[in-house]
Amino acid sequence: MRLVTFARDGVMRLGALRTRAGRQTVVDLNQAEPRLPADMLGFLEVGDAARQLAESVVAHAQADMDLGDVVLKAPVPRPGKIICIGLNYRDHAEETGQAIPEYPTVFSKYSTATIGPFEPIVLPRVSQKVDYEGELGVVIGRRGRYIPESHALEHVAGYLAFHDVSARDFQMRTSQWTIGKTFDTFAPMGPALVTADEIPDPHSLSIRVTVSGEVVQSSNTRNLIFSVPQLIAYLSQVMTLEPGDVIATGTPGGVGVARKPPRFLKPGDEVRIEIEQVGALVNPVVAESE
Ligand code: ZN
């Protein structure tokens, strides 16, 4: 199932995407079945029972809306945590001159950075080096601490495309990267949360990023240094992972700062992050107004 958060008449709702008669449509899950929560966090809290009920609702629903008649938002509009992993692809560690890490590098974005598909990435007027990073995002569905690797995927609600927008000038000022990573609009995610039952193996997905049509990153999640279960096990040694938390698993090679000459985002660019079975996240890039 492809779960979305959408706005209609200014109200945020939970929906499921489907294709009907060749058209992309959205079923409003709470409207079709009032026992289903009307928002993503509430839905994830209920867990498997909500997913199974939603599947049967979608199978029988008649009242679809055209995708064009709603505004998609970030599937999880305000994640409790956005946990990012750095240097998690071999080729990216090499291009940035870093050793293959012994432990995952972890930094954060705050929920105020979250935007959805087609919402603009705003280039802050204080940064001249804003870069793209396409990533597989993992959304937690079941709460847990000290989750063993062998059970880690049972804690995953699903996957989405994630954009770790990065202001390299701010990021590199100190050893801690968070300040360059959490500007407003620097955490685009979507377009849908694809439930984990549709992606039994998250380590065999092609990932491709284009900037204004030019392919700049092309890899596969099989090149991850730390796997999704390893990351969940490691992070949950430290913190309780909760429904709606998002883990961004790191970016492959090809980022703008490592190019010769460097290629940073500029107003008018459009970034597209496409992940096999997960979908394509597209965001325009705009300048910050005064
Ligand atoms: Zn990243």
Side-chain angles (χ1 to χ4, degrees), residues 40-204:
M40 183 70 81
L41 281 183
F43 183 89
L44 294 177
E45 285 281 355
V46 179
D48 276 345
R51 182 175 60 78
Q52 285 159 11
L53 179 56
E55 275 171 3
S56 72
V57 165
V58 171
H60 299 104
Q62 296 298 325
D64 289 41
M65 293 160 286
D66 271 330
L67 185 55
D69 291 341
V70 305
V71 178
L72 291 183
K73 309 301 271 186
V76 186
R78 282 186 81 83
K81 305 184 202 68
I82 304 172
I83 308 164
C84 300
I85 308 301
L87 305 174
N88 201 22
Y89 284 78
R90 264 163 219 288
D91 52 352
H92 179 55
E94 283 164 9
E95 76 179 354
T96 55
Q98 312 275 334
I100 300 297
E102 188 177 355
Y103 298 101
T105 297
V106 181
F107 58 93
S108 303
K109 291 179 188 272
Y110 302 114
S111 62
T112 42
T114 306
I115 58 171
F118 306 111
E119 294 190 278
I121 296 163
V122 178
L123 300 174
R125 56 177 179 262
V126 291
S127 172
Q128 275 65 56
K129 295 187 175 177
V130 178
D131 205 352
Y132 51 83
E133 293 193 357
E135 311 198 359
L136 175 69
V138 178
V139 181
I140 296 297
R142 188 189 301 172
R143 188 172 269 98
R145 181 90 199 275
Y146 291 109
I147 300 166
E149 274 180 43
S150 57
H151 290 277
L153 291 183
E154 297 165 21
H155 290 257
V156 174
Y159 301 92
L160 42 70
F162 186 92
H163 189 170
D164 175 14
V165 186
S166 303
R168 301 298 186 198
D169 36 11
F170 277 70
Q171 178 188 347
M172 301 304 180
R173 282 176 182 171
T174 60
S175 63
Q176 308 297 311
W177 299 350
T178 293
I179 198 69
K181 296 283 196 172
T182 195
F183 282 88
D184 287 357
T185 75
F186 273 24
M189 59 183 85
L193 188 168
V194 180
T195 52
D197 55 297
E198 296 199 7
I199 302 179
D201 179 13
H203 307 105
S204 62

